[in-house]
């Protein structure tokens, strides 16, 4: 290792083509050679650190008592990261030894599987040490580690590739760096503990290109002893950031600033929100185009503009914003009253903590804003995850929409795969409810198959059907271990795989795939989305402590005549088959199939094993598909998810089928004649006034009195907009009697004797503490529950 002058004057920028400052402590310098599978990257990592982080009590030398680390990471943390660790030569090393490995120090190629000491790669070393320089002053330490590596990965469970990240529609590359002291005397108790935990010895390190694991370890007695020598870095000894290694700009997000040619609106609440001291809170903020005068005036001239990008504005520094969902509506009636924003269900733009806060649409696609078919009203739903139940914190988060008057050639859409409506809500993620079952498993696999009939051109009258996917995000919660989204072509062969090989919820609930983006979906393709969970006692649901399994695909051109999301019930196919409870649908049936099964400890959540299979080269992060093929042989025979849930309920064979909708939706409902359905004058308050207790929540439901007041006229004129049929709507008077008083409406006049006839029933209900006083009231409870389910069952 070469020493430099006391000022840390290490001139490296002239030797590399590009650079980026990740933080005040860490900068990167690099040159990419021969872009492609055979390409390499020459990389220098510069550390500028306070000397006290390396100063030992006995006044040790910080230029020989340190370790430095750097790596690529899929989500921003240590889990799943591909990294190198640099250690200087041990102080007792023989100065006459000319072994270059030992003279320049030790470089270990490692990977992270948990927030603990990383594991040395078993397939050999891909990071190769070129040089390391270090210097120190009375207050500062400056070190530079220079390495080289192939762009593409070799160890498919251990390495990450340097993918082309030049396009701003793709996320930049996430990187981490860490540093700390070395205790050359080690800690035998800690070393023994690591042995008990099964950390590998140097003998498990493979060889390649002349590398020998025992030789690189040098004078250390083994990896467990080496681990005991590395003093943990703690929160002050690590950083994370983003960088674009390819393209014209090295900044993490070149579109951070608003382009001069584009305008924007900010969907921000008018005042800050006080976050409750509970674990999970959802808050909705509602907007219409009339809230933005400049945009409204522009639309009078141009009729319609196109959304070109989003910027997510997070106003809470405590990290409590788990995610934000931007929903919208193109319907003129619903968009005319922002009190109806709970019914804005088109998911336009989801954002998860840990994801980049700026997202541009490709130049070929935009989202219509205004006009006859564009979005005219929005709902920003913010999910606060407050596990420590902190109080006194405030937030003012929202979304910025960039737009342009130059309309794009295509309209962008969003496709949802997996259980995006949470039909599995209330079922276990891991474990079996079978009686007397004592079988222990590592976890459970849940798979959702979207068949070719959902991607069939002739069904739309278009024989050249096809769409382009330009962004893909995989979504789970805290007990998720791994997720894959497998794209199969029309012949059933695996075309592409998106994967979160080691999911890290602490860094956010979404993983953006960067492999082979963008890509095409052609006619008769299909998708298999699979999630792996490890913790028993958890259920599927919308809460932070519950689980989800969903994939989000942004694409163009948008298919306006039908949703591109995989269907749950294909009524047309079921009518053709003549059996509404069928398991196998006909060739046109776009209906999600489902399967779940246990995975053993040995299966390691179906990751590729650690022998020859693991050491196969991965081309542009695409793994060998043999393992997937074995798992997916029978997915075409799986039952539809909805049919399976119906069979669980009918047979009551499994406690896992106790869905959360069984409490209220199984109340017997009598059909009501719908002669009253055209009552256009029905309002919550009989005299047409607004409820005085507008913010009061309807007990047992999430709606407020003001929201119910806005929904009442639509309920009696266009119930389909509220996902209801006319037969589900009770007479107007029954709603007014049930909810008018609690919402502050004037007392109903007893001019037709109806109140007298209903008073005994109302009194009985009041004595029992219930709000539903009649069949009509029971119907309304069902209506509110259906609306509540439609809203919160979207991705959380």
């Amino acid at each position: 290792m070469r020493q430099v002058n006391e000022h840390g004057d290490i001139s490296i920028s002239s030797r590399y083509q590009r650079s980026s400052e990740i933080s005040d402590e860490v900068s990167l310098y690099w040159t990419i050679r021969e872009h492609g599978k055979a390409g390499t990257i020459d990389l220098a990592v510069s550390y500028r650190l306070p000397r006290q982080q390396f100063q030992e009590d006995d006044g040790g030398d910080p230029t020989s008592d340190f370790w430095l680390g750097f790596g690529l990471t899929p989500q921003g943390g240590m889990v799943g990261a591909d990294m190198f660790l640099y250690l200087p030569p041990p102080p007792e090393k023989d100065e006459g030894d000319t072994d270059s490995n030992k003279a320049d120090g030790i470089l270990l190629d490692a990977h992270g599987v948990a927030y603990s000491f990383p594991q040395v790669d078993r397939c050999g070393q891909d990071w190769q040490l070129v040089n390391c320089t270090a210097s120190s002053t009375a207050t500062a330490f400056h070190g530079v580690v220079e390495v080289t590596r192939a762009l593409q990965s070799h160890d498919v469970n251990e390495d990450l590739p340097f993918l082309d990240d030049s396009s701003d529609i793709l996320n930049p590359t996430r990187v981490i760096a860490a540093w700390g002291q070395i205790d050359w005397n080690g800690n035998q108790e800690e070393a023994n503990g690591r042995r008990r935990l099964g950390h590998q010895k140097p003998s498990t390190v493979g060889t390649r290109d002349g590398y020998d694991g025992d030789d690189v370890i040098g004078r250390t007695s083994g990896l467990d002893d080496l681990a005991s020598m590395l003093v943990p870095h703690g929160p002050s000894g690590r950083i994370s950031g983003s960088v674009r290694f390819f393209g014209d700009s090295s900044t993490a997000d070149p579109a951070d600033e608003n382009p001069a040619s584009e305008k924007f609106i900010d969907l921000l609440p008018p005042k800050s929100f006080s976050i409750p001291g509970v674990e999970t809170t959802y808050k909705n903020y509602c907007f219409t185009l009339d809230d933005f005068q400049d945009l409204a005036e522009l639309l009078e001239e141009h009729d319609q503009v196109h959304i070109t990008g989003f910027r997510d504005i997070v106003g809470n520094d405590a990290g409590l914003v788990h995610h934000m969902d931007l929903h919208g509506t193109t319907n003129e009636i619903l968009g005319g009253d922002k009190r109806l924003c709970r019914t804005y269900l088109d998911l336009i733009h989801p954002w998860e903590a840990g994801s980049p806060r700026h997202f541009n649409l490709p130049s070929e696609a935009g989202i219509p804003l205004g006009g006859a078919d564009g979005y005219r009203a929005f709902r920003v739903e913010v999910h606060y995850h407050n596990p420590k139940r902190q109080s006194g914190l405030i937030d003012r988060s929202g979304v910025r929409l960039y737009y342009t008057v130059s309309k794009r050639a295509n309209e962008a859409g969003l496709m949802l795969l997996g259980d995006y409506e949470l039909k599995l809500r209330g079922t276990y993620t891991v474990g079996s409810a079978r009686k007397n079952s004592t079988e222990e498993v590592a976890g459970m696999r849940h798979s959702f198959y979207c068949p070719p009939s959902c991607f069939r051109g002739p069904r739309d009258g278009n024989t050249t059907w096809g769409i382009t996917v330009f962004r893909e995000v995989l979504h789970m919660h805290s007990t998720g271990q791994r997720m894959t989204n497998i794209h199969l072509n029309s012949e059933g062969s695996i075309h592409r795989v998106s994967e979160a090989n080691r999911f890290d919820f602490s860094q956010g609930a979404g993983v953006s795939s960067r492999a082979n983006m963008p890509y095409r979906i052609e006619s008769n393709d299909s998708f298999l989305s699979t999630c792996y969970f490890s913790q028993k006692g958890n259920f599927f649901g919308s809460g932070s402590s519950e689980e989800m399994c969903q994939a989000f695909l942004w694409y163009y051109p948008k298919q306006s005549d039908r949703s591109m999301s995989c269907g749950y019930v294909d009524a047309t196919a079921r009518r053709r088959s003549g059996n509404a409870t069928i398991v196998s649908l006909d060739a046109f049936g776009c209906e999600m199939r489902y399967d779940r099964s246990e995975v053993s400890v040995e299966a390691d959540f179906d990751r590729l094993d650690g022998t020859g299979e693991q050491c196969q080269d991965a081309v542009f992060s695409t793994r060998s598909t043999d393992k997937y093929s074995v798992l997916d042989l029978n997915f075409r025979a799986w039952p539809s998810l909805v049919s399976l849930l119906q069979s669980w309920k009918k047979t009551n064979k499994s406690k896992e089928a106790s869905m959360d909708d069984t409490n209220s939706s199984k109340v017997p409902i009598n059909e009501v004649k719908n002669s009253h359905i055209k009552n256009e004058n029905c309002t919550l308050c009989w005299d047409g006034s607004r409820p005085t207790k507008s913010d009061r929540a309807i007990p047992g439901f999430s709606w407020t009195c003001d929201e119910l007041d806005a929904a009442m006229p639509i309920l009696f004129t266009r119930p389909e907009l509220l996902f209801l049929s006319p037969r589900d709507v009770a007479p107007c008077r029954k709603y007014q009697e049930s909810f008018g008083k609690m919402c502050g409406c004037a007392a109903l006049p007893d001019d037709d004797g109806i109140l007298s006839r209903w008073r005994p029933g109302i009194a009985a209900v009041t004595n029992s503490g219930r709000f539903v006083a009649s069949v009509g009231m029971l119907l309304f409870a069902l209506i509110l529950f259906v609306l509540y389910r439609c809203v919160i069952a979207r991705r959380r």
Side-chain angles (χ1 to χ4, degrees):
M1 181 181 69
R2 181 168 60 89
Q3 304 291 321
V4 296
N5 65 57
E6 63 179 2
H7 301 291
D9 183 15
I10 307 175
S11 300
I12 58 174
S13 59
S14 61
R15 302 202 303 272
Y16 294 91
Q17 294 178 353
R18 304 181 64 194
S19 64
S20 178
E21 185 175 280
I22 305 302
S23 68
D24 292 339
E25 299 86 358
V26 177
S27 294
L28 303 181
Y29 304 84
W30 71 94
T31 297
I32 293 176
R33 306 183 186 280
E34 300 180 17
H35 182 197
K37 179 184 178 182
T40 60
I41 181 171
D42 298 335
L43 175 69
V45 186
S46 173
Y47 303 80
R48 302 172 299 277
L49 309 168
R51 180 186 172 108
Q52 60 266 27
Q53 293 196 19
F54 301 98
Q55 185 68 51
E56 295 186 357
D57 295 336
D58 60 359
D61 182 4
T63 62
S64 62
D65 297 337
F66 68 91
W67 63 266
L68 302 172
F70 172 82
L72 309 181
T73 172
Q75 290 183 258
M78 185 172 174
V79 175
D82 170 20
M83 67 192 79
F84 69 72
L85 297 172
Y86 174 81
L87 294 79
E92 68 272 17
K93 179 187 177 300
D94 182 2
E95 294 298 334
D97 194 336
T98 59
D99 187 322
S100 61
N101 278 335
K102 296 179 181 179
D104 291 333
I106 302 167
L107 190 77
L108 294 176
D109 188 355
H111 61 280
V113 298
Y115 286 97
S116 62
F117 187 76
Q119 296 186 7
V120 170
D121 287 5
R122 288 178 284 179
C123 293
Q125 301 286 277
D126 291 280
W127 296 98
Q128 298 292 324
L129 179 64
V130 175
N131 188 33
C132 179
T133 56
S135 69
S136 66
T137 66
T139 59
F141 167 86
H142 189 188
V144 177
V145 181
E146 296 182 79
V147 298
T148 185
R149 211 207 79 169
L151 294 176
Q152 299 306 318
S153 61
H154 290 284
D155 317 336
V156 296
N157 261 346
E158 300 170 344
D159 283 355
L160 296 175
F162 282 87
L163 296 176
D164 188 338
D165 52 13
S166 58
S167 172
D168 61 4
I169 68 170
L170 298 178
N171 289 341
T173 301
R174 305 292 296 272
V175 296
I176 56 173
W179 53 89
Q181 287 181 279
I182 292 180
D183 178 4
W184 290 108
N185 295 321
N187 184 312
Q188 190 60 45
E189 181 179 353
E190 182 178 349
N192 291 336
R194 293 186 184 279
R195 290 190 181 96
R196 288 193 297 271
L197 291 174
H199 287 272
Q200 294 88 0
K201 308 294 191 300
S203 58
T204 66
V205 180
T207 62
R208 183 166 60 233
D209 299 331
Y211 162 75
D212 179 83
D214 291 319
D215 186 49
V216 170
I217 296 300
R219 293 181 180 273
T220 58
S221 60
L223 180 56
D224 294 316
D225 297 319
L226 175 61
S228 72
M229 296 177 184
L230 302 187
V231 179
H233 52 70
S236 63
R238 68 187 183 207
I239 62 98
S240 63
S242 300
V243 63
R244 294 192 183 274
F245 286 100
F246 296 80
D248 297 329
S249 174
S250 60
T251 57
D253 201 340
D256 271 350
E257 298 298 327
N258 179 32
S261 61
E262 294 186 356
K263 301 179 182 296
F264 66 89
I265 58 174
D266 284 338
L267 304 180
L268 289 169
K271 60 182 180 179
S272 296
F273 172 65
S274 180
I275 304 174
V278 297
E279 182 177 11
T280 299
T281 300
Y282 291 95
K283 179 65 176 178
N284 288 284
Y285 304 105
C286 308
F287 310 88
T288 66
L289 297 184
D290 293 336
D291 294 329
F292 308 97
Q293 182 177 354
D294 290 346
L295 175 59
E297 293 175 356
L298 186 66
L299 290 173
E300 290 181 0
E301 177 183 355
H302 294 277
D303 183 53
Q304 187 177 86
V305 298
H306 267 190
I307 299 173
T308 60
F310 307 90
R311 181 161 188 81
D312 300 282
I313 304 171
V314 180
N316 177 259
D317 295 330
L320 301 187
V321 179
H322 176 272
H323 77 262
M324 293 187 292
D325 284 345
L326 174 62
H327 298 264
T329 183
T330 60
N331 184 271
E332 184 176 3
I333 297 175
L334 298 179
D337 190 338
K338 68 176 63 176
R339 294 181 297 166
L340 293 169
C341 78
R342 299 288 190 100
T343 65
Y344 305 167
L345 298 182
D346 285 2
L347 183 58
I348 303 172
H349 171 67
W351 174 85
E352 302 88 4
S355 299
R357 297 185 183 179
H358 196 286
F359 172 56
N360 280 340
L361 296 173
S363 59
E364 299 89 345
I367 299 175
L369 185 62
D373 59 350
Y375 285 102
R376 60 182 64 247
F378 301 95
R379 170 171 59 95
V380 177
E381 181 186 72
V382 183
H383 173 191
Y384 299 99
H385 178 47
N386 188 5
K388 295 182 180 179
R389 294 172 170 79
Q390 303 174 70
S391 59
L393 300 176
I394 61 173
D395 176 65
R396 189 168 177 256
S397 295
V399 181
R400 173 172 293 179
L401 304 186
Y402 294 105
Y403 63 90
T404 178
V405 295
S406 301
K407 296 172 67 173
R408 303 286 178 82
N410 297 287
E411 181 179 345
L414 178 62
M415 180 194 314
L416 308 178
L417 301 175
D419 188 15
Y420 57 89
E421 285 189 6
L422 283 176
K423 297 295 185 181
L424 287 173
R425 178 190 300 274
T427 66
Y428 288 105
T429 58
V430 176
S432 174
R434 292 173 295 180
K435 294 181 179 180
N436 302 320
S437 174
T438 59
E439 183 179 4
E440 296 291 334
V441 296
M444 184 166 282
R445 173 197 311 120
H446 295 262
S447 298
F448 305 85
Y449 176 58
C450 194
S453 50
C454 296
F455 308 96
R456 180 161 291 149
R459 188 182 187 191
D460 302 310
N462 181 2
T463 57
T464 60
W465 186 91
I467 58 175
T468 298
V469 176
F470 58 89
R471 190 186 187 197
E472 182 174 355
V473 174
L474 310 181
H475 178 77
M476 295 189 292
H477 278 185
S478 59
T479 66
Q481 294 293 312
R482 181 171 179 257
M483 182 173 179
T484 61
N485 193 38
I486 301 175
H487 176 196
L488 300 104
N489 62 23
S490 59
E491 298 177 354
S493 300
I494 296 176
H495 176 66
R496 180 185 174 277
V497 178
S498 293
E499 179 179 32
N501 197 36
R502 297 189 185 276
F503 186 76
D504 184 6
F505 182 70
S506 70
Q507 298 297 321
V511 177
S512 294
S513 174
R514 302 192 304 142
N516 300 322
M517 298 291 288
Y519 65 92
R520 291 276 296 174
I521 300 177
E522 306 292 352
S523 180
N524 291 316
D525 286 0
S526 58
F527 279 86
L528 182 68
S529 308
T530 301
C531 292
Y532 298 81
F533 302 100
S534 63
Q535 185 173 312
K536 292 186 177 182
N538 262 42
F539 298 86
F540 283 102
S542 58
S544 303
S545 60
E546 297 173 309
E547 275 303 338
M548 296 183 176
C549 182
Q550 300 164 349
F552 304 89
L553 280 64
W554 285 257
Y555 71 94
Y556 67 85
K558 183 177 181 179
Q559 305 299 295
S560 58
D561 54 343
R562 64 184 176 97
S563 171
M564 281 301 300
S565 299
C566 193
Y568 284 100
V569 177
D570 191 328
T572 301
R574 286 173 177 261
R575 284 194 299 270
R576 289 174 178 170
S577 69
N579 184 351
T581 61
I582 56 174
V583 173
S584 297
L585 301 177
D586 67 20
F588 292 95
C590 175
E591 192 157 319
M592 186 187 303
R593 321 279 177 86
Y594 170 70
D595 180 70
R596 63 180 181 179
S597 56
E598 297 172 344
V599 289
S600 65
V601 174
E602 292 77 12
D604 191 27
F605 299 104
D606 296 330
R607 296 187 182 100
L608 301 181
D609 64 36
T611 58
E613 184 181 31
Q614 184 185 25
C615 297
Q616 294 176 356
D617 287 1
V619 180
F620 294 95
S621 80
T622 301
R623 300 172 181 273
S624 165
T625 58
D626 293 342
K627 188 87 171 184
Y628 300 122
S629 300
V630 172
L631 295 173
D632 307 330
L633 287 176
N634 299 317
F635 53 81
R636 292 177 180 82
W638 292 346
S640 74
L641 174 59
V642 170
S643 295
L644 185 61
L645 292 174
Q646 290 173 346
S647 68
W648 284 351
K649 291 180 180 180
K650 288 181 180 179
T651 60
N652 196 28
K653 288 182 178 179
S654 173
K655 293 180 181 179
E656 296 181 22
S658 59
M659 308 293 285
D660 67 348
D661 61 351
T662 55
N663 293 328
S664 58
S665 64
K666 285 192 174 182
V667 178
I669 302 296
N670 295 322
E671 291 191 8
V672 179
K673 294 182 179 180
N674 61 355
S675 58
H676 53 272
I677 194 61
K678 293 301 181 181
N679 186 353
E680 298 181 3
N681 297 318
C682 181
T683 56
L684 178 59
C685 296
W686 69 272
D687 58 359
S689 63
R690 293 277 290 268
T692 59
K693 300 178 180 179
S694 58
D695 293 332
R696 179 171 182 177
I698 305 294
F701 309 104
S702 64
W703 281 53
T704 65
C705 292
D706 210 27
E707 291 171 330
L708 179 57
D709 180 60
M712 289 286 285
I714 301 174
L715 187 66
F716 284 87
T717 55
R718 297 286 302 279
E720 70 277 5
L721 295 179
L722 303 178
F723 308 99
L724 300 171
S725 64
R727 67 182 181 85
D728 294 325
V729 182
C732 179
R733 183 82 177 215
K734 294 181 180 179
Y735 298 114
Q736 295 170 342
E737 290 173 348
S738 301
F739 301 100
K741 183 177 180 180
M742 73 174 68
C743 291
C745 298
L748 281 164
D750 191 12
D751 54 3
D752 56 3
I754 292 181
L755 187 58
S756 299
R757 293 195 296 272
W758 281 96
R759 188 172 287 116
I762 296 173
V765 167
T766 302
N767 293 335
S768 65
R770 297 180 182 274
F771 289 97
V772 181
S774 66
V775 172
M777 298 174 194
L778 288 174
L779 284 168
F780 189 65
L782 174 63
I783 292 168
L784 287 178
F785 180 80
V786 170
L787 288 173
Y788 174 76
R789 284 292 308 279
C790 287
V791 174
I792 70 166
R794 292 283 181 176
R795 186 195 65 84
R796 293 295 182 262

